[in-house]
Amino acid sequence: MSDTNMRAGYRGPAGGWGSLKGIAKTEMNGRSRPSALATLAVQNKPGGYMCSSCAWAKPPVAHVAEFCENGAKATLWDLTSERCTPEFISRRTVTELRALGDYQLEMAGRITEPMRYDAASDRYVRTSWEEAFSAIAAKLQQLEPKSVTFYTSGKAALEASYLYALFARMYGNNNLPDSSNMCHETTSVGLKKVIGSPVGTCTLEDLEHCDAIFYFGQNPGTNSPRILHPLKRAVERGCKIIVFNPLREKGLLEFADPQNPVQMTVGKPTPLAAQYHQVRPGGDIAAIMGLCKRVLERDARTRAAGTKRILDTAFIEQHTHDFDAFMSKVEATSWDEIEAASGLSRDAVESAADVYCESQKVIGIYGMGLTQHVHGSQSIGLLVNLLLMRGNIGKQGAGCTPIRGHSNVQGQRTVGITEKTSLAPMDKYRELFGFEPPQEDGHTTVEFLEALLDGSNKAFVGLGGNLAKAVPDHERVHDAWSKMELTVHIATKLNSTHMMPGKKSWILPCLVRSEDDTQAGGPQQVSIEDSFSCIYGSIGRRTPASPHLLSETAIVARMAKATLPTNPLWKWDDWAGDYSLIRDLIARTFPEQFYDMNVRMNLPGGFYRGNAAHERIWKTESGKAEFTIPTVLNACGVGNAEGHYHLVTLRSNDQFNTTIYGHDDRLRGLKGSRMIVLMSPAEIARAGLKAGDKVTLVGDAGDDVRREVSGLEVTPYDLPDGTLVGYFPELNPLVPLWYHDKASKTPAAKGVPVRIETA
Ligand SMILES: Nc1nc2c(c(=O)[nH]1)N[C@H]1C(S)=C(S)[C@@H](COP(=O)(O)OP(=O)(O)OC[C@H]3O[C@@H](n4cnc5c(=O)[nH]c(N)nc54)[C@H](O)[C@@H]3O)O[C@H]1N2
Ligand SMILES: Nc1nc2c(c(=O)[nH]1)N[C@H]1C(S)=C(S)[C@@H](COP(=O)(O)OP(=O)(O)OC[C@H]3O[C@@H](n4cnc5c(=O)[nH]c(N)nc54)[C@H](O)[C@@H]3O)O[C@H]1N2
Ligand SMILES: [Mo]
């Protein structure tokens, strides 16, 4: 067996000793400060701070250690003892810093003071907060509001997010894209259309009652490890987990609970997936059509025999729209077509469907494997169709659960960060703050990039994130980025987007969530929303990394105050001094969901802001849950013939988005390099390659732009035909900007058409 072949084989379960070693390694490598581990003890607990990694729920009755390997890494990484001072930064030119790359920039540690870009010397230099706010304000006042974009990456808490959205609208635009535009926007648009709710319908409790979970395109072992506890409990009480994923992800195969001493020492890991279907990229539409076809076939038999129907006919009648049209479409779709588009056999799909038919309460879970496709909204529509056929939405133990990404990404949308005017609380803005909000929809992330490329977007303010690195089509985007008049980054650590400064540019360093945030009104709490629409208070107690840091809320308030005219209703100083006043504003803006927010957010488990679809109230066009009629059977935008592949770009176990912690991917058994391309042994042979060869991937989307990434090591891996897999963000140059979900414009990072070139 070749070296590369041996690499691809991690024998341990997800969780287990490997995850504890991962935490210990971070504790040492990340050079986190003494007592950082003690800080973890209050992570995700009532009275503690909420993890800044993923958006999984924080249960009311917390574990002794309510954190996972990757949540711990994210916190320890925040609490590094390394400091990125102005001396450190101004020693090198920005061009030199940019050449260091994201990993080295991250390693420089926490930014300690505000910095201004000095174009003459090509360096960032120390500045004061007063200088920064007044100069940024002066520039913003000169610019046409429509030419400025206010981006948010999903971490900032509800208080900062609410003020940020308000600021953008008072300034004069709705250009409020969020990392969600590259992530679950497909959900916000797709789910809203079919069930009238832009977010998942389940509560955490539903996971304790379901008989089956249909699990599509999400990698829990790495990206939301705390879900492994409820999944394990579900399996132990007989629930069946049916997985659809091109990769056999360890976290869905088995789990050893690192918080269970017996399982960690003598016990066997708990097997999770009852069935694992290695669907081809984008093949979920066909796979679900197959599931529905089998459901209809079995229902026809029950109808003929006069036994209990498989379809929930009463539910379909009362609550849904367009079922007959969907049924005709399923009947007209042949098994041959389904097998070809999904890459799965009829037998396999039927055995999955049989579990569905035999379960009374089913949850559909999904992640980026469904959302990041050209026809991703249709995949989500189809999953909802499947659930609707047996009334699996709006009853205990059933529903639809998108797994969100950043820890407050869902909440940011809830409190007004949206480019879509129809989703923003415009009337309340008028009523509470006495101004006329702009009427025109703003930029999604893709639209911002288009405006950047055509020169009409002149300024960028980023509340977190590493946007230039996270987006498609790097080469073109990076060329345009520094042509902007103004770039402002509210950040904790350096990253490569900061190293593409506009003509005027500032880096404004902020606190992290576990740090003490004391303002004029005393120590402040913030709040966040998880994937289950629960809102929690979070309080940081650690001494801030530097005395010069400001909170995100304070930075937004001070920037707004400096930029906007004075108005007695716009109380930036009061709001920044006492965040409970901002929460009162949130409660007045969204009274049905956020009443008594200041009290309720500190109840154990937070408070549930409710979901109409969960109550079977459908806020859709027809007033009912909508069946979707698919127009395609595969969600990829471009088909693939012999020698043409679909590339899936995804996360390793050692990264948080563009922040790379290390070069291993423990759960996939891959070590040492991220510049790899995974391919099945059969595809390697068909392409005339061998393991260890270095190849170039070239964009194959049919436009004239040459897109390529070279130096990728061919690595054998168990994958469906025609599928290549590699890492985000290294492979982002291969994703065309125009290649995105049709309905929501979410970049289609999971089915990128590519060819292989050898040197
Ligand atoms: N530790 C850690 N945690 C994180 C993050 C992180 O980077 N690190 N990122 C956070 C963010 S912002 C997000 S959005 C989430 C992302 O969490 P995920 O949704 O898990 O995202 P990915 O890692 O991109 O993996 C997508 C999964 O979909 C599968 N897949 C790919 N294409 C298809 C397809 O066509 N069909 C199906 N059925 N499956 C497919 C892949 O094999 C992979 O298992 O995680 C969040 N949590
Ligand atoms: N090819 C491909 N591209 C993708 C994806 C994919 O799967 N494949 N996934 C997409 C998805 S799902 C997402 S969400 C995006 C992610 O896109 P972003 O959210 O823009 O990227 P991140 O890497 O999460 O941002 C990390 C930076 O945020 C800053 N930061 C960290 N913590 C804080 C904090 O507490 N406050 C502030 N103000 N700043 C902080 C640091 O400077 C850090 O460098 O990428 C998308 N791009
Ligand atoms: Mo995300």
Side-chain angles (χ1 to χ4, degrees):
M1 198 186 260
S2 78
D3 206 30
T4 27
N5 233 332
M6 303 227 335
R7 295 205 312 215
Y10 175 66
R11 286 182 209 284
W17 288 114
S19 77
L20 291 185
K21 278 192 214 144
I23 296 174
K25 200 169 125 208
T26 308
E27 167 72 351
M28 289 179 308
N29 291 358
R31 286 156 275 180
S32 54
R33 282 185 282 167
S35 81
L37 278 176
T39 298
L40 286 176
V42 291
Q43 180 152 310
N44 298 332
K45 302 264 185 64
Y49 68 94
M50 298 301 147
C51 175
S52 63
S53 185
C54 78
W56 185 249
K58 285 79 188 163
V61 185
H63 270 279
V64 180
E66 187 60 45
F67 59 83
C68 68
E69 172 188 2
N70 287 338
K73 271 188 206 163
T75 295
L76 295 174
W77 221 247
D78 278 350
L79 299 181
T80 172
S81 56
E82 298 295 328
R83 293 290 175 270
C84 175
T85 59
E87 284 71 28
F88 171 88
I89 299 190
S90 53
R91 221 175 290 142
R92 295 178 181 80
T93 64
V94 165
T95 312
E96 286 163 353
L97 286 169
R98 189 172 163 190
L100 291 179
D102 277 291
Y103 184 71
Q104 294 297 333
L105 290 173
E106 169 82 25
M107 286 302 170
R110 292 283 301 282
I111 309 167
T112 57
E113 290 182 55
M115 278 171 298
R116 172 177 62 81
Y117 178 60
D118 176 54
S121 63
D122 186 32
R123 284 167 210 267
Y124 275 106
V125 295
R126 170 185 274 121
T127 189
S128 67
W129 286 105
E130 287 68 29
E131 184 278 337
F133 290 128
S134 67
I136 292 166
K139 194 73 208 161
L140 286 173
Q141 285 160 358
Q142 279 169 12
L143 290 163
E144 159 58 33
K146 302 265 174 325
S147 71
V148 180
T149 292
F150 295 91
Y151 171 72
T152 320
S153 156
K155 269 193 185 178
L158 295 173
E159 293 75 6
S161 302
Y162 180 86
L163 290 192
Y164 194 63
L166 187 61
F167 170 38
R169 298 200 167 99
M170 288 171 169
Y171 173 67
N173 70 40
N174 288 298
N175 290 339
L176 285 159
D178 186 289
S179 59
S180 179
N181 286 109
M182 298 173 281
C183 183
H184 267 294
E185 194 59 15
T186 324
T187 298
S188 309
V189 173
L191 214 51
K192 175 96 178 64
K193 177 162 177 280
V194 295
I195 59 169
S197 163
V199 300
T201 69
C202 291
T203 62
L204 189 55
E205 205 197 329
D206 286 321
L207 279 164
E208 308 294 336
H209 298 276
C210 54
D211 307 324
I213 298 174
F214 278 65
Y215 207 112
F216 292 85
Q218 203 268 340
N219 181 18
T222 288
N223 295 327
S224 52
R226 287 181 306 111
I227 194 184
L228 296 173
H229 298 280
L231 290 185
K232 173 171 173 277
R233 284 198 298 276
V235 169
E236 284 165 353
R237 57 175 180 74
C239 170
K240 292 208 165 72
I241 301 178
I242 312 296
V243 178
F244 292 82
N245 193 313
L247 277 79
R248 289 177 63 77
E249 301 284 24
K250 199 71 174 180
L252 287 162
L253 291 166
E254 56 182 17
F255 175 52
D257 183 352
Q259 293 163 17
N260 174 339
V262 177
Q263 189 159 42
M264 288 293 282
T265 46
V266 293
K268 286 202 170 63
T270 307
L272 293 180
Q275 293 180 18
Y276 208 111
H277 301 287
Q278 287 180 268
V279 66
R280 60 197 297 174
D284 307 272
I285 297 181
I288 302 172
M289 283 296 273
L291 296 172
C292 295
K293 196 168 174 72
R294 173 71 166 181
V295 171
L296 287 183
E297 285 166 2
R298 285 191 54 166
D299 182 67
R301 271 186 259 148
T302 55
R303 206 175 37 207
T307 51
K308 188 169 184 312
R309 295 283 295 270
I310 296 286
L311 289 176
D312 185 339
T313 49
F315 174 85
I316 292 173
E317 178 67 26
Q318 190 188 342
H319 287 288
T320 70
H321 175 246
D322 243 3
F323 174 66
D324 290 344
F326 175 62
M327 195 165 75
S328 310
K329 181 77 185 175
V330 174
E331 282 164 358
T333 307
S334 71
W335 279 108
D336 285 349
E337 291 171 281
I338 289 169
E339 288 187 328
S342 67
L344 301 175
S345 71
R346 175 176 177 172
D347 276 357
V349 176
E350 285 186 343
S351 64
D354 289 343
V355 172
Y356 183 72
C357 293
E358 283 143 30
S359 305
Q360 300 313 310
K361 292 175 266 178
V362 178
I363 293 180
I365 292 185
Y366 67 90
M368 297 299 101
L370 290 201
T371 64
Q372 294 178 332
H373 275 296
V374 170
H375 301 291
S377 313
Q378 293 200 30
S379 308
I380 292 169
L382 262 282
L383 176 57
V384 167
N385 287 356
L386 176 70
L387 295 170
L388 294 178
M389 286 172 100
R390 285 177 50 74
N392 275 313
I393 295 190
K395 71 179 178 195
Q396 191 184 50
C400 185
T401 294
I403 308 256
R404 292 275 168 168
H406 276 297
S407 56
N408 192 36
V409 65
Q410 183 167 315
Q412 296 183 336
R413 290 305 211 194
T414 304
V415 298
I417 296 208
T418 169
E419 69 287 351
K420 297 180 182 64
T421 45
S422 60
L423 300 179
M426 298 305 192
D427 289 346
K428 292 288 179 181
Y429 287 142
R430 285 187 198 99
E431 177 190 324
L432 295 172
F433 307 106
F435 76 106
E436 187 52 41
Q439 300 300 314
E440 218 180 294
D441 277 355
H443 294 146
T444 60
T445 301
V446 164
E447 288 158 355
F448 154 64
L449 295 170
E450 288 164 350
L452 181 69
L453 294 177
D454 74 21
S456 60
N457 192 93
K458 307 276 188 216
F460 173 86
V461 181
L463 178 51
N466 186 5
L467 186 61
K469 203 61 190 270
V471 297
D473 249 342
H474 278 177
E475 211 162 311
R476 294 163 64 217
V477 167
H478 293 185
D479 286 347
W481 200 275
S482 297
K483 299 204 175 96
M484 282 190 277
E485 295 291 323
L486 171 70
T487 54
V488 178
H489 299 285
I490 302 166
T492 51
K493 302 223 186 121
L494 293 186
N495 64 46
S496 54
T497 304
H498 307 154
M499 300 311 150
M500 300 173 204
K503 289 181 194 145
K504 297 209 177 269
S505 186
W506 280 266
I507 298 175
L508 308 179
C510 64
L511 298 174
V512 298
R513 208 176 279 157
S514 51
E515 286 172 338
D516 172 58
D517 180 358
T518 295
Q519 302 292 340
Q524 300 299 315
Q525 257 189 307
V526 295
S527 55
I528 58 151
E529 174 176 340
D530 70 18
S531 283
F532 290 103
S533 308
C534 282
I535 321 286
Y536 316 83
S538 170
I539 185 154
R541 298 183 200 276
R542 292 191 63 95
T543 306
S546 146
H548 304 291
L549 301 183
L550 292 183
S551 71
E552 290 172 317
T553 314
I555 294 174
V556 172
R558 289 181 62 177
M559 201 188 302
K561 186 183 171 197
T563 308
L564 300 171
T566 48
N567 180 318
L569 294 174
W570 304 359
K571 300 178 183 169
W572 302 106
D573 291 336
D574 295 355
W575 298 334
D578 178 357
Y579 301 174
S580 71
L581 299 176
I582 309 174
R583 289 188 287 273
D584 287 340
L585 293 174
I586 297 177
R588 289 174 68 193
T589 309
F590 309 98
E592 278 177 26
Q593 302 170 39
F594 284 92
Y595 65 91
D596 282 347
M597 178 180 183
N598 274 306
V599 175
R600 292 196 300 148
M601 72 179 196
N602 286 321
L603 301 174
F607 69 90
Y608 176 53
R609 71 175 171 87
N611 179 311
H614 182 260
E615 312 307 320
R616 296 192 168 173
I617 297 164
W618 317 100
K619 297 185 172 173
T620 59
E621 240 169 60
S622 63
K624 295 193 170 187
E626 307 264 357
F627 276 93
T628 308
I629 321 297
T631 60
V632 288
L633 281 179
N634 189 292
C636 296
V638 176
N640 57 356
E642 179 81 24
H644 301 250
Y645 306 89
H646 281 132
L647 169 72
V648 172
T649 60
L650 40 61
R651 292 153 174 80
S652 80
N653 191 55
D654 239 1
Q655 78 184 84
F656 193 92
N657 295 340
T658 66
T659 304
I660 310 301
Y661 302 127
H663 291 79
D664 297 346
D665 193 354
R666 180 170 53 82
L667 294 178
R668 298 195 181 107
L670 300 166
K671 275 209 168 76
S673 169
R674 295 175 51 87
M675 289 302 283
I676 58 177
V677 54
L678 307 182
M679 259 176 114
S680 76
E683 285 290 8
I684 294 177
R686 267 197 289 278
L689 296 166
K690 55 184 188 330
D693 283 354
K694 293 274 168 67
V695 295
T696 300
L697 290 188
V698 180
D700 192 23
D703 61 5
D704 292 336
V705 180
R706 166 98 184 164
R707 298 182 180 83
E708 65 168 60
V709 175
S710 35
L712 296 164
E713 184 176 331
V714 171
T715 305
Y717 208 81
D718 181 3
L719 287 172
D721 284 350
T723 307
L724 303 182
V725 173
Y727 292 121
F728 149 57
E730 285 81 351
L731 299 181
N732 283 41
L734 294 165
V735 188
L737 182 56
W738 54 265
Y739 195 71
H740 53 67
D741 175 46
K742 295 270 189 218
S744 65
K745 301 204 172 172
T746 306
K750 297 293 186 269
V752 187
V754 292
R755 286 179 286 117
I756 297 176
E757 282 183 1
T758 45

